[in-house]
Amino acid sequence: MAQSWGRPFPPDYTRFMEVYGAGVVQDLLVVLAPQPKAPLQEAGWDGMVEETGNAEDTWADAYLTPELEGTSPRLIAWGPTPVPT
């Protein structure tokens, strides 16, 4: 799966998934299961691909300090905050 993203998943995320798996931590953090990178229509609307797109959009719209201006991070979102219902 990491190969589809062009880089490995962080070691702490990999270890967390080995021990606990995907789920919700105290209603504060959703830990997403690994998902291959694919177009959103193929990947689905509720996983790592969608959340990574959200994070990239947020970065693009954020005020950046001069040293970060023009940069583009290589993001893989694996832990969004749940939306209150």
Side-chain angles (χ1 to χ4, degrees):
M1 257 183 256
Q3 187 176 8
S4 72
W5 289 91
R7 59 197 166 277
F9 292 120
D12 52 348
Y13 170 76
T14 303
R15 181 68 180 139
F16 185 94
M17 292 305 295
E18 289 171 357
V19 174
Y20 302 106
V24 180
V25 179
Q26 294 186 349
D27 295 327
L28 299 173
L29 174 68
V30 177
V31 180
L32 299 170
Q35 179 183 34
K37 187 170 185 176
L40 188 55
Q41 296 81 356
E42 294 173 26
W45 296 90
D46 62 351
M48 189 175 272
V49 172
E50 179 188 19
E51 291 301 334
T52 297
N54 291 339
E56 290 169 342
D57 290 346
T58 298
W59 179 271
D61 293 339
Y63 167 77
L64 300 177
T65 58
E67 64 271 10
L68 293 177
E69 196 65 47
T71 63
S72 180
R74 294 175 21 150
L75 299 171
I76 301 175
W78 55 264
T81 302
V83 177
T85 56

